[in-house]
Structures are given as C-alpha cells and as structure tokens.
Amino acid sequence: MSAADEILDIVDDDDQIIGRAPRGEAYARGLSHRCVFIEARDATGRLFVHRRTPTKLVFPSLYDMFVGGVVGAGEPYDTAALREAEEELGVTGLPQPDFLFKFRYDNGVGQSWWSAVYEVRCDLPVQPQAEEVAWHDFLPEAEVERRLAEWEWVPDGLAAYERLRAYRMGNSRPVSS
C-alpha cells in the first residue's frame, strides 16, 4: 500500500473523529487528521535533525527537528509515537515517548491536523529509513537554533518547536487551535 492509500481518522476542531479517508484524499481535500511529533535526543542531549526525502507527500526535501508522522485510523497517539519514532530512527527497543502536549496546526490554506508532541531519549545507533530521511545528525540545540534562519524547515515542525520552547519556559497553555 502506498502512503497516499493509508487510511486516517478525520477529526473536527475538537479532535473528535468524524470519519475516515485515505491519506492522499485527506491532503487533497484539506481534511483535518492526527499526527505525532517526537523530539529525539541522544545520551548527550543533542537533538536528532534530518532532511526529508524529495519523495515525501508533504514538505519534501525540508529539514525537521522531529521524527513522526500521521496517526493511522483507530491508532492511539501513544502507539503512533513509538511506531513512528522507531521507524524513522531505524531502531527497535525505544522507551515509550513521553507525551508533552497537543495542538492544532493550521497553515490557513487548507492544511490542518491535530499534533501530539512527545520526547524520547535514543541511546541506540540510528539507521533512519532511506525512503523517509535523506540526511540526519544529532546536533546541539544551539546549532539547531542557528540553523533555524539558514535551512528551510517543515512549517508544522517549526510550529511544534516554537510551542515546545514555550512549554519548557513554563507556558501553561501549549494547546491551541
């Protein structure tokens, strides 16, 4: 099955399931669905950063500071977070990622999804999927911050990163719509 054929739960503005559709249709029609974003850090605290492959359905060839992806139909966020983290990092045996918060990403031009943000420590050697990841490295946070203005980043990842910074600075309202 191609990624475009994967069945997703379609959700409303309150993240309640209102139907199902293939991923390709959800993207084409701007149907809101669910995604997970997992911040992966190594034993020294460096952040996993990667560039997406040019064949990705959404945001091809852009940089991202999260691993993750869509939540399949009927799949809980927590299950999707572990599955996506292990798939994209190319590892097995990760601890369950820790849930931090959820927000609704909306770019204002037909792309919106509920986004659950997690964190996980990955002490294992990574071997990211070649179909998903064109380049990767673990970078110190200061370098990621410097690269924000230099590299072209996935917009939903940037939104999640900004909310994560606010969350860690004590913002008590990371969930937004």
Side-chain angles (χ1 to χ4, degrees):
M1 171 177 24
S2 75
D5 296 327
E6 181 180 4
I7 303 299
L8 307 181
D9 286 329
I10 304 306
V11 296
D12 65 14
D13 290 346
D14 296 316
D15 195 24
Q16 299 302 305
I17 299 169
I18 57 172
R20 289 192 169 163
R23 181 195 276 196
E25 179 183 340
Y27 289 176
R29 294 180 47 207
L31 302 174
S32 191
H33 52 283
R34 294 174 169 166
C35 291
V36 291
F37 293 78
I38 306 96
E39 179 189 69
R41 293 184 181 265
D42 68 6
T44 65
R46 296 177 305 166
L47 183 61
F48 181 81
V49 175
H50 66 283
R51 187 170 45 83
R52 297 164 62 90
T53 59
T55 57
K56 296 291 286 180
L57 283 175
V58 177
F59 311 132
S61 299
L62 300 186
Y63 288 89
D64 201 348
M65 66 283 285
F66 293 96
V67 294
V70 297
V71 177
E75 183 179 34
Y77 280 109
D78 287 352
T79 302
L82 180 59
R83 175 184 53 77
E84 286 286 348
E86 288 188 336
E87 282 178 10
E88 287 198 21
L89 294 170
V91 300
T92 56
L94 276 181
Q96 175 63 47
D98 294 321
F99 172 78
L100 301 175
F101 60 89
K102 192 168 66 165
F103 73 99
R104 185 171 180 265
Y105 172 78
D106 189 337
N107 70 357
V109 294
Q111 291 178 317
S112 69
W113 40 85
W114 274 96
S115 307
V117 179
Y118 292 79
E119 64 184 357
V120 71
R121 182 169 157 172
C122 180
D123 296 336
L124 304 165
V126 298
Q127 295 182 345
Q129 289 180 310
E131 309 82 40
E132 303 261 342
V133 176
W135 168 90
H136 72 278
D137 202 356
F138 281 96
L139 302 177
E141 187 129 14
E143 184 171 348
V144 173
E145 290 285 332
R146 279 194 309 274
R147 300 289 186 177
L148 289 177
E150 297 173 13
W151 292 350
E152 190 174 2
W153 297 86
V154 296
D156 60 343
L158 274 178
Y161 188 72
E162 290 167 4
R163 284 174 172 80
L164 182 55
R165 283 192 297 193
Y167 173 82
R168 288 188 170 139
M169 292 176 64
N171 181 344
S172 61
R173 300 187 65 214
V175 175
S176 64
S177 56

